[in-house]
Amino acid sequence: LGYTHVGSGGQQVTAPVLAVTGANAIVDWVVVELRGAGDPTMVLATRSALVQRDGDVVDVDGLSAVSFFLPAGNYRMAVRHRNHLGAMSASPIALYGIPTTIDLTLPGTPTWGTNARNNVNGNMVLWPGDTNFNGTVKYAGGSNDRDPILTLIGGTTPTNTMNNVYNGADLNLDGSVKYAGSGNDRDIILQTIGGSVPTATRTQQLP
């Protein structure tokens, strides 16, 4: 995807971790960033981490807290995903030698910027639709996120599907890429930008 890790990253996972079922089953990867308390544009360290079915983000053993090799102190924390817009804590968080829980699903957890997350039935989630991982969800015009979906299924027949894939164009994360019909991935882009004006855009709220 062109993401450049800082100080770490590139973690790998073993097969037994992916064999877990139930609420702690691993469903995807994310990148966790620690940024400067005074300068949130400064990415100090990054880690590839795993997402469990219940929404917890854990280290590559599938259970432990995500750890960083930085001095104890105050940091801003950001989470980024392969086809969602990332979000970051609004204020610095004190991180020391014990696990600290940051729940970005709670509406009361402040995040950087404006409307950095989407409220789905009281749970805050990352905005989907960034198929080209450029930090903007765009339905029409140059560098839009709709065209990669059509290209992946062949480019000429919009009713084609691509099944059993792990790809950024799979916006609803069901393992298939669809451009048209029920459960397609294209409509998610339109919903993220507002649903009525196809030329609207939504920009990732990371400095």
Side-chain angles (χ1 to χ4, degrees):
L1 292 174
Y3 182 86
T4 302
H5 280 284
V6 177
S8 184
Q11 281 68 38
Q12 297 181 348
V13 66
T14 60
V17 173
L18 300 179
V20 174
T21 59
N24 289 335
I26 302 303
V27 295
D28 211 345
W29 288 91
V30 291
V31 170
V32 181
E33 300 176 339
L34 290 189
R35 295 180 175 228
D39 181 4
T41 66
M42 181 68 67
V43 179
L44 302 176
T46 65
R47 290 272 298 184
S48 299
L50 301 172
V51 183
Q52 295 177 338
R53 179 169 286 130
D54 60 7
D56 294 338
V57 175
V58 295
D59 216 327
V60 291
D61 64 359
L63 296 171
S64 303
V66 181
S67 59
F68 291 86
F69 299 99
L70 288 175
N74 296 323
Y75 300 92
R76 297 176 194 265
M77 187 277 302
V79 177
R80 304 184 68 180
H81 180 263
R82 60 191 167 101
N83 57 21
H84 287 58
L85 300 180
M88 184 181 73
S89 61
S91 302
I93 300 163
L95 299 178
Y96 295 92
I98 59 174
T100 300
T101 299
I102 305 163
D103 194 344
L104 291 177
T105 70
L106 297 177
T109 302
T111 49
W112 177 275
T114 303
N115 295 326
R117 300 164 296 165
N118 184 24
N119 191 325
V120 178
N121 299 322
N123 290 312
M124 306 305 292
V125 299
L126 300 180
W127 289 102
D130 188 10
T131 63
N132 55 21
F133 200 67
N134 68 353
T136 300
V137 176
K138 190 176 182 183
Y139 188 82
S143 299
N144 70 69
D145 295 287
R146 184 168 44 98
D147 287 347
I149 300 172
L150 187 60
T151 299
L152 188 67
I153 64 169
T156 56
T157 306
T159 54
N160 285 347
T161 61
M162 179 82 64
N163 297 313
N164 300 315
V165 296
Y166 184 81
N167 190 280
D170 177 18
L171 294 177
N172 61 13
L173 308 180
D174 65 353
S176 298
V177 176
K178 292 181 66 176
Y179 187 83
S182 62
N184 72 70
D185 298 288
R186 174 175 54 97
D187 286 348
I188 291 176
I189 301 169
L190 192 59
Q191 292 163 8
T192 290
I193 64 172
S196 57
V197 181
T199 54
T201 61
R202 185 173 297 279
T203 303
Q204 181 170 258
Q205 297 297 293
L206 292 178

Short mmCIF file of all heavy atoms in Angstrom, two decimals, residues 149-150 153-161 177-181 184 186:
data_model
loop_
_atom_site.label_atom_id
_atom_site.label_comp_id
_atom_site.label_asym_id
_atom_site.label_seq_id
_atom_site.Cartn_x
_atom_site.Cartn_y
_atom_site.Cartn_z
N ILE A 149 -12.33 -0.58 -7.82
CA ILE A 149 -13.25 -1.71 -7.70
C ILE A 149 -13.57 -2.26 -9.08
O ILE A 149 -13.50 -3.47 -9.32
CB ILE A 149 -14.54 -1.29 -6.97
CG1 ILE A 149 -14.23 -0.77 -5.57
CG2 ILE A 149 -15.53 -2.45 -6.92
CD1 ILE A 149 -15.42 -0.16 -4.86
N LEU A 150 -13.91 -1.37 -10.01
CA LEU A 150 -14.25 -1.78 -11.37
C LEU A 150 -13.05 -2.42 -12.06
O LEU A 150 -13.18 -3.43 -12.76
CB LEU A 150 -14.75 -0.58 -12.17
CG LEU A 150 -15.30 -0.85 -13.57
CD1 LEU A 150 -16.50 -1.79 -13.51
CD2 LEU A 150 -15.69 0.46 -14.25
N ILE A 153 -12.41 -6.11 -10.94
CA ILE A 153 -13.33 -7.14 -11.46
C ILE A 153 -13.26 -7.30 -12.97
O ILE A 153 -14.01 -8.08 -13.54
CB ILE A 153 -14.78 -6.87 -11.03
CG1 ILE A 153 -15.30 -5.56 -11.64
CG2 ILE A 153 -14.91 -6.86 -9.51
CD1 ILE A 153 -16.79 -5.36 -11.47
N GLY A 154 -12.38 -6.54 -13.62
CA GLY A 154 -12.18 -6.73 -15.05
C GLY A 154 -12.31 -5.48 -15.87
O GLY A 154 -11.84 -5.44 -17.01
N GLY A 155 -12.99 -4.46 -15.35
CA GLY A 155 -13.03 -3.16 -16.00
C GLY A 155 -14.11 -2.94 -17.03
O GLY A 155 -14.36 -1.80 -17.41
N THR A 156 -14.76 -4.00 -17.51
CA THR A 156 -15.74 -3.80 -18.58
C THR A 156 -17.14 -4.29 -18.22
O THR A 156 -18.13 -3.72 -18.68
CB THR A 156 -15.29 -4.53 -19.86
OG1 THR A 156 -15.07 -5.92 -19.57
CG2 THR A 156 -14.01 -3.91 -20.42
N THR A 157 -17.24 -5.33 -17.41
CA THR A 157 -18.54 -5.87 -17.04
C THR A 157 -18.79 -5.59 -15.56
O THR A 157 -18.24 -6.26 -14.68
CB THR A 157 -18.60 -7.39 -17.28
OG1 THR A 157 -18.23 -7.65 -18.64
CG2 THR A 157 -20.00 -7.92 -17.02
N PRO A 158 -19.63 -4.58 -15.26
CA PRO A 158 -19.79 -4.16 -13.86
C PRO A 158 -20.45 -5.20 -12.97
O PRO A 158 -20.42 -5.06 -11.75
CB PRO A 158 -20.65 -2.89 -13.97
CG PRO A 158 -21.33 -3.00 -15.29
CD PRO A 158 -20.39 -3.74 -16.19
N THR A 159 -21.06 -6.23 -13.56
CA THR A 159 -21.71 -7.26 -12.74
C THR A 159 -20.76 -8.40 -12.36
O THR A 159 -21.16 -9.32 -11.63
CB THR A 159 -22.92 -7.84 -13.49
OG1 THR A 159 -22.51 -8.30 -14.78
CG2 THR A 159 -24.01 -6.78 -13.65
N ASN A 160 -19.52 -8.36 -12.84
CA ASN A 160 -18.55 -9.36 -12.43
C ASN A 160 -18.25 -9.23 -10.94
O ASN A 160 -18.43 -8.16 -10.34
CB ASN A 160 -17.24 -9.20 -13.20
CG ASN A 160 -17.34 -9.69 -14.63
OD1 ASN A 160 -18.29 -10.36 -14.99
ND2 ASN A 160 -16.36 -9.34 -15.45
N THR A 161 -17.77 -10.30 -10.34
CA THR A 161 -17.32 -10.26 -8.94
C THR A 161 -15.97 -10.97 -8.83
O THR A 161 -15.62 -11.80 -9.67
CB THR A 161 -18.32 -10.95 -7.99
OG1 THR A 161 -18.45 -12.33 -8.36
CG2 THR A 161 -19.68 -10.27 -8.05
N VAL A 177 -15.27 -8.78 -3.99
CA VAL A 177 -15.30 -7.42 -4.53
C VAL A 177 -16.41 -7.36 -5.58
O VAL A 177 -16.39 -8.10 -6.55
CB VAL A 177 -13.95 -7.03 -5.16
CG1 VAL A 177 -14.03 -5.66 -5.80
CG2 VAL A 177 -12.86 -7.05 -4.09
N LYS A 178 -17.39 -6.49 -5.33
CA LYS A 178 -18.54 -6.32 -6.22
C LYS A 178 -18.72 -4.84 -6.54
O LYS A 178 -18.64 -4.00 -5.65
CB LYS A 178 -19.83 -6.84 -5.56
CG LYS A 178 -19.89 -8.33 -5.36
CD LYS A 178 -21.22 -8.74 -4.72
CE LYS A 178 -22.40 -8.49 -5.66
NZ LYS A 178 -23.66 -8.97 -5.08
N TYR A 179 -18.99 -4.56 -7.81
CA TYR A 179 -19.23 -3.18 -8.25
C TYR A 179 -20.71 -2.86 -8.31
O TYR A 179 -21.11 -1.72 -8.10
CB TYR A 179 -18.58 -2.96 -9.61
CG TYR A 179 -18.62 -1.52 -10.08
CD1 TYR A 179 -17.65 -0.62 -9.65
CD2 TYR A 179 -19.60 -1.08 -10.97
CE1 TYR A 179 -17.68 0.70 -10.08
CE2 TYR A 179 -19.63 0.24 -11.40
CZ TYR A 179 -18.67 1.13 -10.95
OH TYR A 179 -18.69 2.44 -11.37
N ALA A 180 -21.53 -3.86 -8.61
CA ALA A 180 -22.97 -3.64 -8.77
C ALA A 180 -23.75 -4.74 -8.06
O ALA A 180 -23.21 -5.80 -7.72
CB ALA A 180 -23.34 -3.62 -10.26
N GLY A 181 -25.04 -4.48 -7.82
CA GLY A 181 -25.89 -5.47 -7.18
C GLY A 181 -25.89 -5.34 -5.67
O GLY A 181 -25.24 -4.47 -5.09
N ASN A 184 -22.79 -4.62 -2.75
CA ASN A 184 -21.61 -4.20 -3.52
C ASN A 184 -20.74 -3.26 -2.69
O ASN A 184 -21.15 -2.72 -1.65
CB ASN A 184 -22.03 -3.55 -4.84
CG ASN A 184 -22.65 -2.17 -4.65
OD1 ASN A 184 -21.99 -1.20 -4.29
ND2 ASN A 184 -23.96 -2.08 -4.89
N ARG A 186 -19.13 -0.51 -4.04
CA ARG A 186 -19.17 0.85 -4.57
C ARG A 186 -20.07 1.76 -3.74
O ARG A 186 -19.74 2.93 -3.48
CB ARG A 186 -19.65 0.80 -6.02
CG ARG A 186 -19.90 2.14 -6.68
CD ARG A 186 -20.24 1.93 -8.15
NE ARG A 186 -21.34 0.99 -8.30
CZ ARG A 186 -22.61 1.36 -8.47
NH1 ARG A 186 -22.93 2.64 -8.49
NH2 ARG A 186 -23.56 0.46 -8.63
#
